[in-house]
Amino acid sequence: MKTSKRTFEQKKAQTGMVFLIPWVLGFLFFFAVPIYNSILYSFNELKASDTGYSLTFKGLANYNKALFVDANFVRDLTSVISQTVINVPLIIIFSLFVAVLLNQKFFGRAFARAIFFLPVILASGIAISISNAGFMQQIMQASMANTDPTGASASGLLESIELRVMLLDLGVSESIVAYLSGAVDRIYEIISQSGVQILIFLAGLQSISPSLYEASKIEGATGYEAFWKITFPMVSPLILTNLIYSIIDSFMNNKITQTVDTTAFKNLDFGLSSAMSWIYFTLIAIILVISTFIVSRRVFYHD
């Protein structure tokens, strides 16, 4: 009796399906019903009753209220998206730059790597709660007000006026100067969100075969050429990974999520809250699809 043998590709595909089973089970048991209820609530008005709750169909009224009646939702949504568009490229560039530095051989490299992993620790638990609550900024402002007789605020002193003037004197265009000075002003935010990305890039850099650099050195390639011809293409898949992670991470906790939470559990308007959630989700999905489509066309995969 002749038996069919599975090819290597078929075995890999079946192994991948096995790894997908936990996600599928988790989605069916924990996410499918809440997603369905959220869609249902967004088209209805939910009122508590003696038997639980009742739904009154309102069509697109909740979506219309979120987009055209609520005074803050669209403004906060625009602010969150613009901050993401500005911060994510800075986080990717900063993470790759730091990972390349930490991949070099120098005294105290292990200690330096631990220092740059601190943002991951600071971005969790009580530290991020303090930061989100604005306590850190209040402490800095109070400290600077005490030390500065003019009463200038910390944010004012942290502005990169000197850098802006220097770049403008060098003839750099105002749009680039505004982007770079804005990056300096938000350096704390960028560093605090770069810990995981640095680790991912560092793991990718360490997986590059040293023989590639040895061959390029024999051929007379400079360090600059080795970076753009070897390092950058080899870590380009991780750029896509970090891009997706950074975009999702930037949308996790901000004014919109706080507004959705307040609307649902303080104002008890679950229909409007669900509509806001789906508008927010749709925009995130669109941004992810566009970003992935653009960056994936430049990714190099080494077999």
Side-chain angles (χ1 to χ4, degrees), residues 194-246:
S194 302
V196 174
Q197 291 87 334
I198 291 173
L199 287 180
I200 293 175
F201 275 134
L202 194 57
L205 290 172
Q206 292 177 346
S207 67
I208 300 175
S209 174
S211 61
L212 295 176
Y213 293 106
E214 293 173 0
S216 66
K217 192 174 182 180
I218 293 173
E219 294 292 334
T222 63
Y224 178 82
E225 292 170 333
F227 175 80
W228 289 108
K229 300 296 183 182
I230 298 175
T231 305
F232 191 79
M234 294 298 285
V235 300
S236 59
L238 299 180
I239 293 177
L240 178 61
T241 303
N242 279 334
L243 174 71
I244 295 173
Y245 174 83
S246 301

Side-chain angles (χ1 to χ4, degrees), residues 6-156:
R6 294 179 300 171
T7 63
F8 179 67
E9 293 297 328
Q10 289 175 333
K11 292 180 180 178
K12 285 176 61 179
Q14 290 176 352
T15 304
M17 295 301 294
V18 171
F19 279 99
L20 281 176
I21 290 175
W23 182 87
V24 173
L25 293 176
F27 177 82
L28 292 176
F29 286 106
F30 298 106
F31 291 101
V33 173
I35 288 175
Y36 170 77
N37 287 335
S38 177
I39 296 174
L40 186 65
Y41 296 162
S42 68
F43 294 102
N44 290 273
E45 181 183 5
L46 186 149
K47 290 183 178 180
S49 63
D50 297 335
T51 58
Y53 65 86
S54 62
L55 297 175
T56 304
F57 184 71
K58 298 181 65 176
L60 297 174
N62 288 323
Y63 290 91
N64 182 67
K65 185 177 180 180
L67 292 173
F68 303 108
V69 178
D70 191 285
N72 299 320
F73 180 71
V74 175
R75 184 186 60 189
D76 292 341
L77 192 62
T78 306
S79 174
V80 169
I81 292 174
S82 61
Q83 289 294 322
T84 300
V85 171
I86 294 172
N87 286 350
V88 169
L90 295 174
I91 292 171
I92 300 297
I93 295 171
F94 176 79
S95 303
L96 180 58
F97 175 73
V98 173
V100 171
L101 290 181
L102 294 177
N103 196 43
Q104 306 301 315
K105 294 181 180 179
F106 57 89
F107 177 75
R109 184 173 65 171
F111 179 74
R113 289 178 177 178
I115 292 293
F116 276 95
F117 188 66
L118 282 178
V120 178
I121 302 173
L122 294 174
S124 61
I126 188 65
I128 193 64
S129 300
I130 293 174
S131 177
N132 290 337
F135 295 159
M136 188 69 72
Q137 186 177 1
Q138 293 175 18
I139 293 172
M140 292 176 64
Q141 289 177 345
S143 175
M144 297 306 297
N146 291 333
T147 56
D148 188 351
T150 63
S153 66
S155 59

